[in-house]
Amino acid sequence: MKYIAAREKRNLLTYLGEKEWLIMFLWFGLAFVGAITEISRGNINNFLIFKNVFFHLIHQQPLYIEYPQEYYDVNLYGPVFSVVIAPFAGLETRLGALLWALTGAGVLYYAIRQLPLNRIQQNIILLLCTQELMGASGWFQMNQFVGAFIILTFTSIVKGKDMWAAFFIVLGTLTKIYGIVGLAFFFFSSNPKRLIGGLFLWGGIMLALPMLISSPQYVINCYYEWYAALAHKNTLNEAVTTVFQDISAGGFIKRVFHIPWLSNTYVLIPAIIIFLAQYIMLRYRYNSRYRLYILCSVLMFPVLFSTSSESPTYIIAIPAICIWYVMQPSTRANNIFLFFAILLVSFSHSDVVTPWVRKNLAVPYALKALPCLVLWLMIAYEIFTRKFLVKPPKPEVAAPVLEPAA
């Protein structure tokens, strides 16, 4: 497989991308800062939910009800999540929260390193994602893992490791549903029968794992309750009861055009049609650029078209913006788009913008979704018009092309 060429010109990002120590320091250092800052403030409610999921499961208590004496809000992850969180649940709470956040950063780092891009391009992606990672780390959610699972599903399939791809699809689906989008890479598989077999195998294993520390009937009931909890959550999100929920394409449209009654179905159905139409070009499924375009589209899809999207959910989508960018020639238009995309996605909810902009524009109008929606539509257009086949001109100063990590 041929790997995407280096960027057209040597620019600041290329220069910074050559600094391996800087990438490692920023990636894990900012993840640490984001986590430790919220731990010092006592803002670890999400981790308290996760930690207690394990104990509630082993004591066979309901997983999807409120426990006001332990934490606020409710758990919305699948029963198998109790096994994922188990290594962190027995630790001292603050230490467990910190290690959970750093593990999420590590898994996403590993996933990006598996992309069929050269080392400099991988470093640029990591560099551009650091601000979003810092914010997501302070929420102690599972979004870093979900983004990594989707990327690893893609890289496993293109490397012919279908059993591993099936593992990541099942694990992502049975924890936060979003992982199911990994099925979009099915047609890239060189051995679809093995992939299907792997889905059944891993599905059975992950269904059984929580039963080993509880009981079969209890876990089966939990899945019914999980479905009901997700359906109830979706109803609440569509009501837009808070500006911090439904930061999606639908949420953006409803708030900007003042149509709060708009059902997400009216946004989701056209999105599914547009997404599926990209497979018209499936004859190019062995083209590396086409594959990466589909990866970008898939990474943004569950964030853009889910009513459950929040600010930290965008750690799943931001790598898509960066992957797309490193595939493009370094033109002024592309650089301007990247600047505003990173500004709106990674900084619009931070103190970098003024409080007035944050409180009156960025948050209430879900502007975080705007650049992702624009890019998602651009990618669809470039696939429909076969512009992905147009390769950038040969770079004037080529960055070294290294073999991707195994």
Side-chain angles (χ1 to χ4, degrees), residues 274-315:
I274 293 172
F275 179 78
L276 293 178
Q278 296 174 65
Y279 288 89
I280 293 174
M281 298 297 169
L282 198 57
R283 63 184 179 275
Y284 297 108
R285 62 184 176 275
Y286 298 115
N287 180 283
S288 59
R289 290 177 64 84
Y290 174 72
R291 287 177 168 183
L292 286 168
Y293 269 45
I294 293 293
L295 171 62
C296 293
S297 183
V298 170
L299 283 168
M300 289 186 283
F301 189 92
V303 180
L304 277 174
F305 304 109
S306 169
T307 59
S308 294
S309 293
E310 304 172 298
S311 177
T313 314
Y314 277 78
I315 190 60

Side-chain angles (χ1 to χ4, degrees), residues 49 52-67 70-71 73-77 79 214 218-219 221-223 225-226 229:
I49 296 175
N52 282 287
V53 164
F54 173 74
F55 296 110
H56 292 162
L57 184 128
I58 62 176
H59 294 118
Q60 299 189 37
Q61 298 173 281
L63 294 184
Y64 305 103
I65 64 172
E66 294 183 358
Y67 289 90
E70 299 175 5
Y71 50 77
D73 212 341
V74 295
N75 168 51
L76 290 172
Y77 289 174
S214 55
Y218 167 78
V219 171
N221 288 337
C222 283
Y223 276 101
E225 294 168 359
W226 185 33

Side-chain angles (χ1 to χ4, degrees), residues 68-102:
Q69 294 183 336
E70 299 175 5
Y71 50 77
Y72 62 88
D73 212 341
V74 295
N75 168 51
L76 290 172
Y77 289 174
V80 75
F81 179 71
S82 60
V83 180
V84 176
I85 199 65
F88 307 91
L91 301 175
E92 191 275 329
T93 300
R94 290 171 295 181
L95 176 61
L98 178 61
L99 292 179
W100 170 252
L102 292 178

Side-chain angles (χ1 to χ4, degrees), residues 203-217:
I205 292 173
M206 292 190 196
L207 181 66
L209 277 177
M211 297 178 182
L212 299 178
I213 54 177
S214 55
S215 72
Q217 187 60 50

